[in-house]
Amino acid sequence: MNGLKHRERVKDLRETLNKIKGKKEYLLKEMRTIADTIKTCTKQKMDIEEAQLIIQEVAKQTQQELEYHISEVVSTALSSVFDDPYEFKVEFVIKRGKTEADLYFIRRKERVDPLSASGGGVVDVASFALRIALWNLLKGQISNTIWLDEPFKMLSRELQPKAGEMIKMLSDKLKIQFIIITHNQDIIESADKVFEIKQNSKGVSEAV
């Protein structure tokens, strides 16, 4: 009787041991799977961090190129019109978690707010040049013809001839065709071709 109990006890112990072995093998397999997953995730994390660094560097270079391109076009336009010109600057900064563009003037080494500390004529020329800078960035994607309706209204009369020369300079340099609607004779004199439009007796506009 004792022998039978002993055999049953041994049998139970073997079954328990086999269960423990099976559980151990399962846990080892799970550990290997987790280790492989950790290895894969670590590799993916490193790849993502590397990609983020590349994206950040490309974005930084792109922003620097944009800053230079826009600043150059606008500053060139300003220096063509004004004897003591403002230098235009665009700077990309992070505000509220987003990238924004700060636009400002530099004059005599001081930063100037375009809207509150500079004349309307300066803003008039700068806003025009910003349009041209944007067009130049999209060159090949949009038409090379730009329409202007009575430009530079805020610019003083003595600077109007220089504004006309500046338009012609940008036209020649950037290969833009400007079609300008204006009564300003100083602007008209800088044009390659002039078409005079008048209303006939019936009130219809027609070329003279």
Side-chain angles (χ1 to χ4, degrees), residues 15-31:
E15 288 178 355
T16 301
L17 181 60
N18 288 334
K19 288 179 180 179
I20 292 173
K21 286 182 178 179
K23 191 171 185 180
K24 178 184 176 182
E25 290 176 358
Y26 171 78
L27 290 174
L28 288 173
K29 184 178 179 181
E30 285 293 301
M31 287 176 63

Side-chain angles (χ1 to χ4, degrees), residues 13-173:
L13 288 172
R14 284 177 178 172
E15 288 178 355
T16 301
L17 181 60
N18 288 334
K19 288 179 180 179
I20 292 173
K21 286 182 178 179
K23 191 171 185 180
K24 178 184 176 182
E25 290 176 358
Y26 171 78
L27 290 174
L28 288 173
K29 184 178 179 181
E30 285 293 301
M31 287 176 63
R32 287 192 293 269
T33 300
I34 292 171
D36 289 342
T37 302
I38 291 173
K39 185 177 179 181
T40 301
C41 290
T42 301
K43 178 66 167 57
Q44 290 177 343
K45 179 175 179 291
M46 292 175 63
D47 290 343
I48 291 171
E49 289 175 346
E50 185 177 356
Q52 287 177 332
L53 288 174
I54 293 172
I55 291 171
Q56 289 172 358
E57 184 61 29
V58 170
K60 182 180 179 180
Q61 290 179 359
T62 301
Q63 289 177 354
Q64 289 174 342
E65 290 174 4
L66 284 173
E67 289 174 5
Y68 172 78
H69 169 80
I70 295 172
S71 298
E72 181 187 33
V73 172
V74 179
S75 295
T76 298
L78 290 170
S79 64
S80 298
V81 176
F82 300 97
D83 293 328
D84 183 17
Y86 292 87
E87 181 183 357
F88 181 83
K89 291 290 185 181
V90 55
E91 180 180 354
F92 290 97
V93 295
I94 304 298
K95 293 182 180 179
R96 298 178 291 276
K98 296 181 180 180
T99 302
E100 298 182 7
D102 270 357
L103 308 179
Y104 58 92
F105 293 135
I106 297 290
R107 194 178 198 189
R108 298 168 190 147
K109 298 182 180 181
E110 292 187 3
R111 182 166 172 159
V112 179
D113 182 357
L115 297 181
S116 62
S118 56
V122 177
V123 175
D124 209 357
V125 173
S127 60
F128 163 78
L130 279 172
R131 289 176 58 193
I132 303 308
L134 176 60
W135 174 90
N136 201 34
L137 288 172
L138 299 174
K139 186 164 55 178
Q141 303 177 42
I142 58 176
S143 170
N144 70 333
T145 299
I146 295 178
W147 290 75
L148 302 175
D149 186 5
E150 298 292 355
F152 308 117
K153 294 178 181 177
M154 302 295 293
L155 196 62
S156 61
R157 177 64 188 274
E158 64 270 16
L159 295 177
Q160 293 288 340
K162 288 189 175 182
E165 293 171 5
M166 180 264 292
I167 292 176
K168 183 166 179 54
M169 180 269 292
L170 290 175
S171 175
D172 294 338
K173 183 177 180 179

Side-chain angles (χ1 to χ4, degrees), residues 169-181:
M169 180 269 292
L170 290 175
S171 175
D172 294 338
K173 183 177 180 179
L174 301 178
K175 308 303 180 186
I176 309 173
Q177 180 184 35
F178 290 103
I179 298 178
I180 305 173
I181 301 169

